[in-house]
Structure formats: C-alpha cells, structure tokens
Amino acid sequence: MTTHDVPQTLMVDGFRARRSWGFGNLSKGATMFAAAALVADGLLGTTAPATLLVTVPLTLAVVGLAAARRHGMSALAYYWAKFSWKRAAAAEATSYRKVLLPHPYALDLPGVGASSTLIKAHDPTTGRGVGVVHDRTSGYMTMATLLAPGGSLMAPTGAVQGNLRTWASVLDAMSTDEQIKGAQVTIQITPGAGEALGDDVKLRTAPGAPRLAKAIIDELVRTTPHATASVAPWMTVTVDPNAAAVPPTDLAEQVAEALRVVDSIDLSGTGTDIERRATDVDLRRLVRAAYDPAVFNARDAEFEDLQWGECGPQAADDGWEEYAHDGGISVSWVLREMPRRPISYSVLLPLLAPGRYQRRVTLSYRVLDPFEGEAVLEREISNAANRAQATAEVKGRSKWSQRADYQRAEKAAAQVAGGAQVVDWTLMVTATARTAADLPAMRQELERAVKATRGIRMRPAYGAQAAVFAAGLPLGYNPLVK
C-alpha cells in the first residue's frame, strides 16, 4: 500500500476554522469599525467638509488593510504585529540575559514560563516521583506523561480504526471534565550520531560470522547513522485543581487532586504505550535540552541539582522569524490552514521523519464541553449564512466557497448532534540548528517537510517565536487555554 492508497475508513476530515460574520473579507469587529468610522467621517464632514479629504482616505486605507490577507491573517493584524515587535526590539524587550542574585526574578524562566515553578511530588499509586509544573498566576497544574515511540503504519486497518475511536473517546472524556483545561502531545526527533549503534554492533558481532554477513552489517552501520534519530514523545495535561467539587485547601492537596485527574485519563487502546509519568529530572532534561541541545544525552545526575530557572536559557534573542538561545537557533511554525478535503491519518508522517536538525512537533487541544460546542457550531452556521447572504445582495449570488463553507458547518453540527466533540486545536513545529549558518538549510528542510504533507499549510510564528518555542515544552503553557 502506497502513501496514496489509504482506505477510505482511515481518512479524516471535519477541519474548519472559526469565522465571524462580516462584510466581504472583514471580520465582525472590522465591519462594525468600518461602519462607525464612515458615520463619524460623515458627521465630521457636515461641519468641516475639508476634513473628508483626510478622514475618508485614511478610513478606506485601514479598512483595505483589514480586508486584505497576508500569510493567512489580515494585513492590518500582520503589520500591527510587526510594528509592535519592532517597538519592543528597539526597547530591548526581545532580548533576555540571565542576571545574578539577588534579582527578584532570577530564578524564573523567561517569557510565558515566568509564572511557572516545578514541584517534586510523590505518586502513591506507583511509588515513584512525579514532576508537577505549577502556574502561580492561574493556579493550574501541568503533568507530563512519557510515551514509548511507536507507530501504526504496519498495523491492520481494523486496529488503526480502533485506535482512532479510542482516542475520540479520550477527547470525549476530557470534554465532560471541568478540571481538564487542555492537553498537548509533543514528539521530539533528535538526529542520532550513530556512535552508540556502531559500538553496540561491534560488541555483538561473533568472531566466526560469515564474511558476507560482516560486510552487510558494516555497510548498515556506516549508512544508518544518517537516517537514525532519537524519538522522545510525551503528553502534557493542564488541570485546574480548584475546580473540584471540594476545592483543595493547600498546595499539597492541589497536587494530589491534579494527580487524581491525570490518572483518570486512560490512553490504553489508542495505539500509544505509556512509559511512565515524567519526574522532575525528566522535565528539567526536556526543558534544558531544548534550549541547549548539546546536553540532551547527559546523565540524570547533571539535572538533579538544577533550579527550575536554570533550565532556561542563559541568553536569548526573540527575532521576528527566529529564536536564538543557548547552543542553537530555532525556527517555529504554526498552523495556517488544514486541507478542506479528507486526509490520511498518517498525514503528519513527513513532519515526524528524521532530518538533519532537531525537530519538535506539538498538537495542542482544548476540548469544548457539549453545550459550548453546540453553541459554537450554531453560531458558525449563522455566520456562514449571513456572509453568503451579504455577498448575494451585492453581487447577485453568493460565492461557491461560501456555500461549501456553510455545508461544512452544517455537517459539523450534524456530527456533534450524533455524539462527536468540538475540539479547538492547533499544530506547532519547532526546528533547532546548532549555528546560524545552518539556518537557511534548516528552513528549507522544514518547508519541504510541510509541503510533503500534501495539503497542510503552515507559516512562521511571526513575532512570537519564543512563545511558540516554549509551547512545545512541558512548561504549563498551552496557547489554547485561557
């Protein structure tokens, strides 16, 4: 079976971006602003007609930028973000340098991880230590579960269907649990050096083995390092322990409540093997190795004495399209648009294939409760109908794309009525190179991987490189969680 020969039962669809009602390409807010601005221009022009020579062109220019698209977003939002980033860069707010004590924030991580702290807890069910990331601002707690790397490309069709149904059941359980605020699944692929494989094969080779067998093994050892990689998958769940029926009274009870909620998530049958809950040492390793890839294979003893703030970068510069940090420079991309056609369940395989540079692929989820999901879809149906009607009143008929969008919204509502769940989700990819000279090659490799998915459209995280970089780490930050 080729990559193009996938059974229809293993195709997935139903992806649709939220769209507010507005005239043309304008959003609801932009449409209301345009109407209010034009009315204000008219009122001002009744008393001072000469002002119309300035106010009307200015209003039309702003409305035109709001209607135009740039990289999947409105041109107005894009240029405003660029202006804000340049202003922050001029104030040196995009550069981070770790300072020595007694600075009050010296033990905090930079950026979106500043409010997080690491707690070393004990799980009585397994008797092992567990690392819990506590957000001191929101009170949320995040725990990571280390998963065993595997796949289902060689599995029977029935087994893959069962895995997909079980994962849908997991999301269904999340939607009815008020304490679960969001979840993330991250897969980190680090290119292998190959030395360990060669040493292992050398020890296992029998002295009396046939010459042909030795030649084949030597050839495999010589060529395999170029295609091997270390795969580290994990799943993080963000929990609000204070949303329990009886809110915890202290920090210890909050940790215990968060452990209870995470233990209730059953991943058996999803095609994923659980290795164990991440310990505090595991979390330090994942975070520190992301900022400094050279320490990825260091021993656990080197991370045990690290403070949580020491796991972050010693120095970092948040650029418009890249993020420079200890030992490397990273580029993060975010989801722009999913295909409007059914896609294969293995569509992300090109992004997960080993390459020359370390890559981290993150899927963020926020499952809406049934009532909120139904309300969202009803609102989307109304918005789609209003857009089509407004276009028909101006041009005489609505666009085919608007009709198709309305049909997709109705189809999604019908699926929810049949028991499906509405999920807010996004895809983020971060690639890390060791030197700035490798940046062009790394960007090209990432572009080719995205194009190989045959339909998924992504773009650089303009002006938000540091935030997206941190979103793929077990720091307790989920961009979909309010």
Side-chain angles (χ1 to χ4, degrees), residues 308-394:
W308 184 236
E310 295 174 338
C311 298
Q314 299 296 317
D317 292 299
D318 189 7
W320 177 246
E321 294 188 38
E322 66 279 333
Y323 181 54
H325 49 84
D326 298 351
I329 183 169
S330 298
V331 172
S332 297
W333 285 26
V334 294
L335 180 65
R336 174 176 172 177
E337 185 181 9
M338 287 296 291
R340 300 178 184 180
R341 54 176 173 78
I343 59 176
S344 168
Y345 75 101
S346 57
V347 67
L348 294 180
L349 187 60
L351 286 174
L352 301 176
R356 294 173 55 192
Y357 307 99
Q358 184 185 76
R359 191 181 303 163
R360 191 164 55 252
V361 182
T362 301
L363 281 167
S364 295
Y365 298 93
R366 186 178 75 90
V367 187
L368 280 62
D369 66 75
F371 297 103
E372 183 184 359
E374 183 179 357
V376 166
L377 289 179
E378 289 295 334
R379 186 166 57 249
E380 289 297 305
I381 292 175
S382 299
N383 293 339
N386 291 333
R387 283 194 302 270
Q389 182 180 359
T391 303
E393 291 177 354
V394 175

Side-chain angles (χ1 to χ4, degrees), residues 76-403:
L76 181 63
Y78 173 82
Y79 288 117
W80 178 255
K82 184 126 189 206
F83 170 76
S84 300
W85 177 84
K86 286 186 175 181
R87 186 176 59 178
E92 298 184 352
T94 58
S95 298
Y96 170 80
R97 300 293 183 269
K98 186 175 287 295
V99 296
L100 300 176
L101 291 176
H103 195 279
Y105 303 107
L107 297 181
D108 291 340
L109 293 173
V112 295
S115 61
S116 67
T117 184
L118 181 62
I119 299 174
K120 182 179 180 180
H122 177 76
D123 188 357
T125 59
T126 61
R128 298 177 178 176
V130 178
V132 181
V133 178
H134 178 220
D135 191 315
R136 293 168 292 186
T137 301
S138 63
Y140 294 168
M141 294 191 173
T142 301
M143 275 176 286
T145 302
L146 302 183
L147 308 176
S152 56
L153 293 179
M154 302 298 292
T157 300
V160 178
Q161 287 178 317
N163 295 340
L164 294 176
R165 286 193 298 267
T166 305
W167 180 246
S169 300
V170 172
L171 295 179
D172 187 15
M174 291 183 182
S175 69
T176 56
D177 195 329
E178 297 181 353
Q179 293 182 265
I180 298 179
K181 298 302 179 181
Q184 291 177 300
V185 177
T186 301
I187 301 178
Q188 181 171 281
I189 307 98
T190 304
E195 290 84 355
L197 176 64
D199 294 342
D200 184 66
V201 170
K202 185 177 180 179
L203 293 174
R204 294 172 179 266
T205 302
R211 181 178 301 176
L212 178 60
K214 289 184 177 180
I216 293 175
I217 292 298
D218 291 341
E219 179 67 14
L220 287 175
V221 170
R222 186 181 65 83
T223 58
T224 297
H226 299 287
T228 58
S230 172
V231 182
W234 65 85
M235 178 179 180
T236 57
V237 180
T238 301
V239 177
D240 182 9
N242 296 315
V246 180
T249 57
D250 56 18
L251 186 60
E253 292 185 2
Q254 291 177 6
V255 173
E257 181 66 20
L259 281 170
R260 184 193 65 78
V261 174
V262 174
D263 287 339
S264 66
I265 301 176
D266 186 11
L267 296 180
S268 59
T270 61
T272 301
D273 296 329
I274 297 178
E275 186 174 329
R276 55 183 168 80
R277 300 280 183 230
T279 65
D280 59 313
V281 176
D282 294 328
L283 296 181
R284 292 190 186 98
R285 175 189 296 275
L286 292 176
V287 175
R288 183 59 196 152
Y291 287 104
D292 188 4
V295 302
F296 179 78
N297 294 316
R299 294 182 174 87
D300 289 346
E302 299 184 24
F303 300 96
E304 291 178 351
D305 296 331
L306 282 181
Q307 298 290 334
W308 184 236
E310 295 174 338
C311 298
Q314 299 296 317
D317 292 299
D318 189 7
W320 177 246
E321 294 188 38
E322 66 279 333
Y323 181 54
H325 49 84
D326 298 351
I329 183 169
S330 298
V331 172
S332 297
W333 285 26
V334 294
L335 180 65
R336 174 176 172 177
E337 185 181 9
M338 287 296 291
R340 300 178 184 180
R341 54 176 173 78
I343 59 176
S344 168
Y345 75 101
S346 57
V347 67
L348 294 180
L349 187 60
L351 286 174
L352 301 176
R356 294 173 55 192
Y357 307 99
Q358 184 185 76
R359 191 181 303 163
R360 191 164 55 252
V361 182
T362 301
L363 281 167
S364 295
Y365 298 93
R366 186 178 75 90
V367 187
L368 280 62
D369 66 75
F371 297 103
E372 183 184 359
E374 183 179 357
V376 166
L377 289 179
E378 289 295 334
R379 186 166 57 249
E380 289 297 305
I381 292 175
S382 299
N383 293 339
N386 291 333
R387 283 194 302 270
Q389 182 180 359
T391 303
E393 291 177 354
V394 175
K395 295 186 177 182
R397 67 172 180 84
S398 60
K399 298 180 181 178
W400 281 106
S401 59
Q402 293 175 335
R403 300 179 191 179

Side-chain angles (χ1 to χ4, degrees), residues 408-461:
R408 287 195 298 269
E410 281 193 326
K411 182 179 178 181
Q415 292 174 341
V416 170
Q421 298 299 326
V422 180
V423 180
D424 278 345
W425 71 281
T426 189
L427 173 66
M428 298 169 287
V429 180
T430 298
T432 301
R434 296 297 181 92
T435 62
D438 295 330
L439 196 56
M442 184 178 66
R443 279 201 176 101
Q444 185 180 51
E445 181 181 273
L446 187 56
E447 287 181 9
R448 289 175 177 173
V450 173
K451 290 180 180 179
T453 60
R454 299 179 182 270
I456 295 179
R457 303 180 66 186
M458 304 190 71
R459 63 168 176 83

